[in-house]
Amino acid sequence: MLEKKLKKDYFTTKWAGGVTTEILIAPAASSLAQRDFDYRISTATVTDSPSNFSNFTGYERIILSLDKPISLQQKNNVIELAPFVPYRFDGDVAMKSLGKCQDFNVIFKKNNHVWVTLLQNGAAQDLIIEGENILSALQDIKVRLIARSKKQEILLQKGETLLIRQEQFEQIQIIAQKRSLMVEKTAILTQIKKKKTE
């Protein structure tokens, strides 16, 4: 299944440190407040510094800044995080963010394998078949989906999302639609796959 999500489909709310936009939550009937979701993908505008991360016991998190360097502080340990560098940590860790930025967040239950990859213009990336591939456009792009027997192209505008679920495409290639100062960073690919139980 291929599903394109527009910016008008997202859910935006205010929080103590700024504004957050929920891009995708699964299952669809779950909620952040109830902590009954399998995974959630969002962006946030952090306007207060410092700001404290909410507790998500039983989950892991991946965060990356989309524009400015930030610092993450866990007790006396400070992690300097450059833009577009994903950082993974346990959801029950008391973490504080120092700095203001636009960020990208993935929160997921620990029974999932999750990968977050920055895609560069023109480069191809393997897709996972038995899982979900979620592409978040950082600029206007052409998405080329590649399989042995077929190809398909889809246009995404900046901020739009493409869900690729249970499809037989093997690779994805991103082509920027115009020259940009960020041309080498075209999209974020989040890949989610259930861990196998013994």
Side-chain angles (χ1 to χ4, degrees), residues 135-198:
L135 185 74
S136 304
L138 296 177
Q139 57 178 286
D140 295 351
I141 56 175
K142 179 192 293 180
V143 181
R144 182 173 293 153
L145 298 166
I146 304 166
R148 292 181 182 179
S149 59
K150 61 178 179 178
K151 292 182 181 179
Q152 185 170 344
E153 292 186 347
I154 299 172
L155 295 177
L156 289 184
Q157 294 184 356
K158 180 179 178 179
E160 294 180 345
T161 301
L162 180 66
L163 282 63
I164 309 162
R165 292 171 166 155
Q166 298 176 344
E167 286 284 341
Q168 297 305 308
F169 293 107
E170 298 167 354
Q171 284 191 324
I172 190 170
Q173 185 180 31
I174 309 300
I175 294 109
Q177 294 298 284
K178 59 183 178 181
R179 294 186 179 275
S180 167
L181 295 176
M182 290 177 48
V183 70
E184 76 281 4
K185 299 175 180 67
T186 56
I188 301 171
L189 180 64
T190 304
Q191 297 176 294
I192 301 171
K193 184 177 182 179
K194 289 286 188 185
K195 293 180 179 178
K196 293 182 178 179
T197 56
E198 297 296 334

Side-chain angles (χ1 to χ4, degrees), residues 16-42:
V19 176
T20 185
T21 298
E22 183 177 278
I23 296 172
L24 182 65
I25 193 166
S30 60
S31 75
L32 184 71
Q34 294 296 323
R35 301 292 198 268
D36 60 350
F37 60 94
D38 195 36
Y39 68 85
R40 178 180 185 261
I41 298 175
S42 64

